[in-house]
Amino acid sequence: MNLARRLHHLIGDPDQRNSFSSRRRSLRFQELLRRFPDLRSMRVLDLGGTPEFWRSAPVAPAYVTTVNLDPKYDPDESWLDHVVADACEQATLGKTPGDYDLVVSNSLIEHVGGYQRRRDFAEVVRAAAPAHWVQTPNRYFPVEPHYVAPGFQFLPVRTRARLVSRWPLAHERVYTVEDALAQVLTIDLVSTAELRHLFPGSDIWHERLGGLSKSIVAVKA
């Protein structure tokens, strides 16, 4: 493994147990447990999540359904289910309101594609359960988390695309500017103001690093 890929694993890969990203995710999970101390007995809908996340979690809920567009997941556990569906379209979820106690979503809302899609996603969250935890990287944290690049999110799109094709810490390597353009356009970081607008009445919790708000979470308990 070359140096750039090794650095990516150590810093930005949440699936690497000792990576910086994995440690931050563990800290957020502790806050999730503080907000929802009965998590072990709850029925959870995880929008954008994976079964592996819950297998490795310190607390397993009574039942979890993960929803994303990836068909590769087919959990064997009786308490885990996976649905291939669009998290912004309530009709595709295959469940009715009342089936879940809590909606969890980590780092998905910035990828769904535009403000109207984010509104649709928020409506799905509110309809699916009485409580939610919706986390997303803070747009105004100085380091863009997907590329581990200072100020990257504030650059023009074409400039970002040119840099991504050469940037060694990108989360997924691309080799042409057009492929890089397609990649950067899938990320639209959300501000505190927009998250509060999308989830009125929710508490906005700030995960801080060095005194700065690294990620933001809309929480309704």
Side-chain angles (χ1 to χ4, degrees):
M1 184 185 295
N2 62 33
L3 178 60
R5 301 313 294 164
R6 187 175 296 114
L7 285 173
H8 170 74
H9 283 296
L10 289 174
I11 298 172
D13 189 345
D15 294 324
Q16 294 293 316
R17 184 178 298 273
N18 293 318
S19 72
F20 173 80
S21 181
S22 177
R23 292 196 299 271
R24 299 305 302 185
R25 186 166 67 177
S26 295
L27 289 173
R28 288 196 298 271
F29 201 93
Q30 292 304 311
E31 179 66 16
L32 174 68
L33 287 176
R34 189 182 75 81
R35 300 283 186 137
F36 301 99
D38 297 327
L39 182 65
R40 194 181 301 276
S41 63
M42 299 180 84
R43 299 160 298 170
V44 174
L45 176 65
D46 185 342
L47 298 177
T50 66
E52 184 56 38
F53 173 85
W54 292 101
R55 288 189 187 106
S56 61
V59 170
Y63 191 81
V64 178
T65 298
T66 56
V67 174
N68 63 50
L69 298 174
D70 195 333
K72 71 180 179 181
Y73 301 107
D74 187 19
D76 295 326
E77 296 90 340
S78 61
W79 59 277
L80 270 174
D81 184 27
H82 182 68
V83 174
V84 179
D86 186 335
C88 298
E89 298 180 9
Q90 187 171 342
T92 68
L93 297 181
K95 299 286 184 179
T96 57
D99 286 340
Y100 300 106
D101 304 305
L102 171 67
V103 175
V104 169
S105 184
N106 290 298
S107 298
L108 174 66
I109 194 171
E110 74 272 18
H111 294 287
V112 298
Y115 170 67
Q116 184 57 53
R117 293 267 296 168
R118 291 192 289 274
R119 284 190 61 182
D120 293 343
F121 172 81
E123 290 177 4
V124 170
V125 170
R126 290 193 296 268
H132 56 250
W133 166 283
V134 178
Q135 179 269 341
T136 186
N138 184 6
R139 173 174 175 77
Y140 292 105
F141 187 71
V143 178
E144 203 286 337
H146 301 88
Y147 299 101
V148 198
F152 183 82
Q153 65 270 39
F154 306 119
L155 297 174
V157 170
R158 180 63 68 172
T159 303
R160 279 183 274 164
R162 291 194 179 99
L163 289 174
V164 162
S165 60
R166 299 172 176 83
W167 183 245
L169 298 181
H171 69 299
E172 181 180 346
R173 293 307 306 273
V174 290
Y175 299 97
T176 70
V177 172
E178 286 306 309
D179 286 345
L181 185 61
Q183 186 184 103
V184 300
L185 286 172
T186 68
I187 303 169
D188 191 6
L189 295 183
V190 175
S191 68
T192 300
E194 182 178 348
L195 194 66
R196 184 174 288 116
H197 169 69
L198 292 170
F199 296 96
S202 299
D203 179 40
I204 304 299
W205 177 68
H206 293 262
E207 176 205 359
R208 297 192 180 276
L209 179 65
L212 301 176
S213 176
K214 179 182 178 294
S215 70
I216 48 181
V217 188
V219 185
K220 184 176 181 183

